[in-house]
Amino acid sequence: MRIGKKSRARRALAFYRCAYGIKQPFRVVVDGTALQAAANMKVDLREELPKVLGGQVEVMVTRAVVAELRQLGRESKSATAMAKRLPKLDATSSSQPGAAFESVRVHPRLASPHPLPLPPIPRARAPPRLSGNPLDQITAAVGDGNPRKLCVMTEDASLQAHVVRQPGVPLLRFSRQNLILEPPTRASKTTAEITTEELAHVQTVPSRASEPDAESARPTEKKRKLGSKEPNPLSRLKKKKKVSAPPAPDEGGGKRRRRRRSGTGSPTAKTSS
């Protein structure tokens, strides 16, 4: 999976987490078409889905999906074996797992001071099952605002069209042998508690608590210490005595005599002549 697709998946998951509370571990419902496509491409969904969603994933199927794959025969043998190993989603009409059972009421005889033998307590009835159609079971599980926080992975065009119309349901599918997460749909954006612009503003603008102060952002300057300064270490060095060079001796070995020139230059010579 390329980096661009990973960044788009992170943005989509951030939207679903902030708007609809869909977070780890992600619960992904897979239908028969997705299992068959994964078997044909030899893709292990339990290894690839955590890479796409970036966290722990619980892959599950409905019992109708397993029954549908069994009816296809040998063509879907590997997909059927994969579906059998996955946990089964309780496809009931209620969003809460125990809401379909009949509650047992306390018999009024328990309140009397002399309790009498009670009649046998009726057993709780099994929750009503939906139709055996996988599409109906999956659409009922993600309906009414997706209270179970489920993600859907399918290659069926009709199921994809229904999931797109449901707000708050992430959709996964194969695209050129790559598993991708579709961006948030228009229904999810319009019914979300926060808009995509507000989410982008929250992601880009840091909070005031995280902003550094102007004074702390400035580079720290070393303060000069006040007080007596230490002497210059160069001034502690001993002064070197200057050695005067001896005068160069003359070639003659004595004082240099100054000679006078005799000639026309002197005034006495002119008068005598």
Side-chain angles (χ1 to χ4, degrees):
M1 191 175 181
R2 290 181 293 182
I3 298 175
K5 294 182 179 180
K6 287 185 179 180
S7 61
R8 288 194 293 268
R10 284 197 297 268
R11 288 195 296 267
L13 288 174
F15 172 81
Y16 285 115
R17 182 179 63 254
C18 297
Y20 296 98
I22 299 175
K23 54 186 178 181
Q24 299 186 35
F26 302 104
R27 306 177 68 192
V28 181
V29 183
V30 187
D31 71 339
T33 58
L35 289 174
Q36 187 63 41
N40 294 338
M41 290 184 285
K42 298 181 180 180
V43 175
D44 191 357
L45 297 179
R46 288 177 293 185
E47 294 182 359
E48 294 298 326
L49 283 173
K51 297 178 183 178
V52 177
L53 300 179
Q56 298 178 359
V57 178
E58 296 179 2
V59 187
M60 55 188 66
V61 295
T62 60
R63 298 186 183 278
V65 171
V66 181
E68 182 185 31
L69 292 173
R70 284 178 178 175
Q71 294 177 358
L72 297 178
R74 295 182 178 179
E75 297 178 358
S76 62
K77 184 177 180 180
S78 57
T80 306
M82 189 185 305
K84 289 180 180 179
R85 293 193 297 267
L86 296 176
K88 307 304 182 291
L89 178 68
D90 186 15
T92 59
S93 58
S94 176
S95 60
Q96 297 180 358
F101 290 90
E102 182 182 1
S103 60
V104 180
R105 297 180 180 178
V106 179
H107 201 274
R109 294 184 182 180
L110 290 176
S112 62
H114 304 287
L116 299 176
L118 299 177
I121 299 174
R123 295 182 179 179
R125 292 179 297 179
R129 295 288 178 180
L130 299 177
S131 62
N133 188 1
L135 191 146
D136 295 339
Q137 289 188 357
I138 295 176
T139 53
V142 299
D144 298 332
N146 192 14
R148 299 186 184 183
K149 314 300 180 185
L150 299 174
C151 307
V152 177
M153 179 179 176
T154 179
E155 293 295 308
D156 189 0
S158 59
L159 183 55
Q160 289 179 358
H162 182 82
V163 172
V164 166
R165 292 191 297 268
Q166 292 291 329
V169 183
L171 176 62
L172 295 107
R173 64 180 181 87
F174 282 104
S175 175
R176 296 182 181 179
Q177 298 183 354
N178 291 325
L179 189 59
I180 63 171
L181 174 65
E182 289 289 340
T185 60
R186 184 179 299 177
S188 299
K189 292 179 180 179
T190 54
T191 58
E193 295 180 356
I194 59 175
T195 60
T196 54
E197 289 80 6
E198 293 176 353
L199 180 64
H201 180 72
V202 170
Q203 292 178 349
T204 54
V205 179
S207 61
R208 292 184 177 180
S210 61
E211 290 182 353
D213 298 336
E215 296 180 358
S216 60
R218 295 177 182 175
T220 57
E221 298 179 355
K222 294 183 178 179
K223 296 182 179 180
R224 295 180 179 179
K225 295 181 180 180
L226 301 177
S228 60
K229 297 182 180 180
E230 295 182 358
N232 190 358
L234 297 178
S235 62
R236 295 184 177 183
L237 298 177
K238 294 181 179 181
K239 296 182 179 180
K240 296 181 179 181
K241 295 181 180 180
K242 294 183 180 180
V243 179
S244 58
D250 296 336
E251 295 179 358
K255 293 183 179 180
R256 186 176 180 183
R257 294 177 64 183
R258 187 175 180 182
R259 296 180 182 180
R260 282 186 178 183
R261 292 182 180 180
S262 60
T264 58
S266 61
T268 55
K270 288 182 181 181
T271 54
S272 62
S273 60

